[in-house]
């Protein structure tokens, strides 16, 4: 144990002075929370505008020769309000005029949301501020330079007993600022945790952890208390979102657990994300259910297909040559289906169908649209018998027709394809049978 926690706070956790005060109380409640990664101020209410969005707007107005002063003024006001409510001395005008000089640079402009916010938080806590540009490095092609970052950042941060570090950006070899993709402060938090060899990466947000189903579909779904990195990846891929996709990799390699926590309910345990589940943990075989709409299935039939070497490979090449990734590929004896994103497929549809006919000479090709895919995910599914039977009877009892079944080869998930119109009912029926019951 190093007795080090890296705590990252998201935009809603830092949206105004009262949220920042909650964050300060969380930080000081545990002296192991030594390295704090901060986002830019996010939304205070649903129609509010994030500082990062205002910064992008300001840059766009500047480059289009439009008047940007109102947008810049609003950014200034937002910070000025926070500063006065926190009761700290902070020269916001110096920061805003520095920003104004550099509005031509998109990533620099966007990064000032976290930069200024982190300086304010550091001042309020009376902690050192550490600029991410001095420790997070990208190669000239814009990829994170892991080796250089982990060693330099680790060394520089450990020389400080604690620090506030802005999320979302780092520096290119020429020193200019480069941001991660949106939501990238999660990635910074993970990089910091890895670099200082933290025991834990806490990710503080506005929900009490990862939910076992989409709350827009299922009423009050349960919070997942423990989940493995692999389960998380499967559920996130199918649309459940709690963390930036790239945030798992740095800590996963070092086996550092991630704890998703709620700034507004700090006593909740949240969700713990680990490489393997704690021993003696008793829980359901199914951890979570997630899904997406908008798929099409292209079913190709040809008698004696099984005897024809390379049929499947040729079919998949046609899709990949057209730049279309496939999601699933269930096969029968004389049939093979390729499930793809409908929007991408529609753009290339005629060309792909022509190539299938010319190159594979099939007996029959059928396109099924309006398909949704639902993943039922859980490490426990491998060892428990009768899971598939339960899934299928839950759907049959609800009168839902299953249009595709695909079990992942790791037996960690079963993907079910149903008509888009049955999607919500299917998720609810599966949740009731597999998680709530
Ligand atoms: N502020 C950035 C965004 O809105 C990064 C982040 O909050 O993680 O995307």
């Amino acid at each position: 144990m190093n007795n080090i926690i890296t705590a990252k706070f998201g935009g809603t956790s830092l949206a105004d002075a009262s949220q920042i005060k909650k964050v300060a109380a969380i930080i000081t409640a545990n002296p192991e929370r030594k390295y704090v990664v901060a986002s830019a101020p996010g939304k205070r209410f649903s129609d509010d505008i994030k500082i990062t969005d205002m910064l992008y707007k300001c840059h766009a107005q500047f480059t289009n020769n439009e008047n940007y002063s109102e947008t810049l003024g609003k950014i200034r006001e937002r910070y000025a309000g926070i500063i006065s409510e926190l009761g700290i001395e902070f020269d916001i005008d110096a920061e805003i005029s520095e920003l104004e000089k550099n509005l031509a640079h998109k990533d620099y402009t966007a990064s000032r949301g976290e930069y200024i916010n982190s300086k304010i938080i550091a001042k309020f806590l009376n902690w050192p501020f550490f600029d991410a540009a001095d420790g997070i490095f990208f190669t000239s092609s814009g990829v994170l330079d892991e080796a250089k970052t982990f060693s330099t950042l680790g060394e520089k941060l450990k020389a400080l007993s604690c620090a506030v570090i802005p999320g979302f950006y780092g520096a290119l070899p020429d020193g200019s600022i480069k941001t991660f993709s949106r939501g990238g402060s999660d990635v910074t938090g993970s990089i910091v945790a890895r670099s200082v060899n933290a025991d834990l990466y806490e990710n503080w947000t506005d929900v009490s952890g990862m939910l076992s189903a989409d709350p827009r579909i299922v009423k009050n779904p349960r919070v997942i208390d423990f989940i493995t990195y692999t389960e998380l990846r499967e559920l996130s891929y199918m649309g459940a979102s709690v963390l930036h996709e790239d945030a798992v990799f740095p800590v996963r390699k070092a086996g550092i657990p991630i704890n998703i926590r709620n700034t507004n309910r700090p006593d909740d345990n949240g969700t713990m994300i680990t490489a393997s589940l704690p021993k003696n943990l008793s829980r359901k075989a199914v951890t979570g259910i997630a899904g997406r709409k908008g798929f099409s299935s292209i079913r190709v039939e040809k008698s004696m297909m099984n005897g024809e070497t390379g049929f499947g490979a040729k079919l998949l090449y046609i899709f990949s040559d057209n730049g279309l990734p496939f999601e699933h590929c269930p096969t029968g004896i004389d049939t093979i289906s390729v499930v793809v994103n409908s929007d991408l497929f529609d753009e290339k549809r005629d060309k792909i169908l022509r190539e299938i006919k010319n190159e594979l000479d099939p007996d029959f090709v059928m396109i099924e649209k309006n398909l949704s895919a639902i993943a039922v995910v859980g490490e426990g599914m491998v060892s428990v018998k009768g899971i598939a039977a339960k899934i299928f009877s839950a759907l049959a009892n609800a009168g839902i027709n299953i249009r595709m079944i695909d079990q992942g080869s790791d037996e960690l998930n079963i993907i079910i394809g149903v008509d888009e119109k049955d999607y919500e009912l299917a998720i609810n029926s599966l949740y009731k049978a597999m998680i709530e019951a």
Side-chain angles (χ1 to χ4, degrees):
M1 293 287 275
N2 296 319
N3 302 329
I4 299 175
I5 295 174
T6 292
K8 179 258 167 180
F9 293 87
T12 50
S13 301
L14 301 167
D16 58 24
S18 69
Q19 288 298 90
I20 292 178
K21 286 180 187 167
K22 285 186 198 168
V23 165
I26 291 169
I27 294 168
T28 43
N30 185 345
E32 294 186 0
R33 294 187 179 117
K34 292 177 184 148
Y35 301 103
V36 167
V37 174
S39 278
K43 291 187 180 193
R44 294 159 292 181
F45 41 86
S46 62
D47 293 340
D48 200 12
I49 305 173
K50 292 177 173 191
I51 288 275
T52 309
D53 289 321
M54 291 202 250
L55 288 162
Y56 279 123
K57 183 172 173 190
C58 212
H59 161 78
Q61 288 171 324
F62 177 86
T63 37
N64 296 332
N65 281 322
E66 290 164 17
N67 188 348
Y68 59 80
S69 49
E70 194 188 330
T71 315
L72 193 60
K74 281 188 185 155
I75 295 169
R76 187 201 169 281
E77 285 322 302
R78 191 85 191 264
Y79 282 121
I82 292 176
I83 291 161
S84 87
E85 247 189 87
L86 290 179
I88 52 170
E89 290 281 314
F90 192 92
D91 189 353
I92 187 61
D93 290 320
E95 300 292 348
I96 296 291
S97 72
E98 191 58 32
L99 164 62
E100 190 171 6
K101 282 188 225 148
N102 291 286
L103 281 175
H105 190 315
K106 188 175 178 186
D107 282 17
Y108 173 89
T109 302
S111 74
R112 294 307 94 174
E114 347 295 285
Y115 175 85
I116 298 174
N117 213 24
S118 299
K119 276 185 145 179
I120 292 173
I121 295 162
K123 187 84 195 230
F124 184 59
L125 290 169
N126 205 7
W127 276 27
F129 164 82
F130 180 87
D131 190 352
D134 295 331
I136 295 185
F137 305 108
F138 294 94
T139 64
S140 49
S141 50
V143 179
L144 178 72
D145 186 337
E146 289 194 6
K148 185 173 169 199
T149 296
F150 295 152
S151 66
T152 315
L153 185 62
E155 220 167 274
K156 289 188 177 177
L157 286 179
K158 281 185 175 165
L160 304 167
S161 54
C162 59
V164 181
I165 305 126
F168 193 37
Y169 70 94
L172 287 163
D174 66 1
S176 63
I177 298 290
K178 176 174 163 48
T179 60
F180 293 106
S181 56
R182 295 301 305 266
S185 299
D186 283 344
V187 186
T188 310
S190 182
I191 292 170
V192 169
R194 167 75 182 267
S195 304
V196 298
N197 234 325
D199 304 304
L200 181 64
Y201 169 27
E202 287 179 345
N203 189 292
W204 291 82
T205 175
D206 54 4
V207 287
S208 288
M210 171 126 187
L211 299 172
S212 48
D214 186 339
R216 290 166 300 184
I217 301 174
V218 174
K219 214 169 147 208
N220 295 326
R222 285 194 192 149
V223 170
I224 300 172
D225 47 2
F226 285 92
I227 187 168
T228 65
Y229 299 124
T230 323
E231 289 174 324
L232 176 79
R233 169 99 183 100
E234 302 265 355
L235 287 170
S236 310
Y237 182 72
M238 288 304 284
S241 74
V242 74
L243 265 186
H244 189 293
E245 240 198 321
D246 297 339
V248 172
F249 301 106
V251 284
R252 182 180 185 160
K253 275 193 204 154
I256 300 167
I258 308 171
N259 190 194
I260 310 285
R261 300 284 294 266
N262 188 347
T263 299
N264 303 319
R265 294 176 58 99
D267 293 334
D268 290 354
N269 292 331
T271 300
M272 196 61 128
I273 307 164
T274 47
S276 55
L277 297 171
K279 286 194 184 78
N280 308 325
L281 179 76
S282 98
R283 67 166 197 173
K284 302 258 173 211
V286 171
T287 308
I289 296 166
R292 281 192 278 148
K293 291 183 176 179
F295 294 109
S296 295
S297 161
I298 297 87
R299 195 167 104 220
V300 182
E301 279 188 27
K302 186 171 188 182
S303 52
M304 307 307 282
M305 173 196 290
N306 262 13
E308 200 173 313
T309 315
F311 191 93
K314 278 186 220 151
L315 178 62
L316 292 178
Y317 265 124
I318 293 174
F319 284 88
S320 72
D321 288 348
N322 280 286
L324 213 71
F326 78 94
E327 303 280 337
H328 306 285
C329 185
T331 55
I333 300 189
D334 287 332
T335 68
I336 176 165
S337 298
V338 183
V339 178
V340 290
N341 175 300
S342 298
D343 291 339
L344 298 178
F345 176 66
D346 288 345
E347 286 168 25
K348 307 265 171 79
R349 179 194 159 105
D350 293 343
K351 186 164 177 277
I352 290 179
L353 292 180
R354 215 175 25 249
E355 288 175 17
I356 292 177
K357 285 195 177 118
N358 293 344
E359 292 175 33
L360 297 170
D361 190 27
D363 299 336
F364 182 70
V365 178
M366 192 172 108
I367 298 163
E368 289 186 87
K369 295 193 63 151
N370 305 326
L371 197 64
S372 61
I374 300 170
V376 181
V377 175
E379 298 268 357
M381 282 165 56
V382 190
S383 51
V384 181
K385 291 195 187 88
I387 295 287
K390 248 178 136 179
I391 291 175
F392 301 139
S393 53
L395 295 173
N397 292 340
I400 296 167
N401 181 26
I402 300 176
R403 291 177 45 190
M404 178 191 80
I405 302 165
D406 195 2
Q407 178 167 32
S409 38
D410 47 11
E411 287 187 50
L412 193 84
N413 65 28
I414 295 183
I415 312 265
I416 295 135
V418 300
D419 223 281
E420 280 179 352
K421 69 172 175 31
D422 293 329
Y423 177 72
E424 282 81 9
L425 179 61
I427 298 250
N428 266 304
S429 313
L430 289 168
Y431 179 80
K432 282 205 181 79
M434 311 308 294
I435 295 178
E436 198 178 65

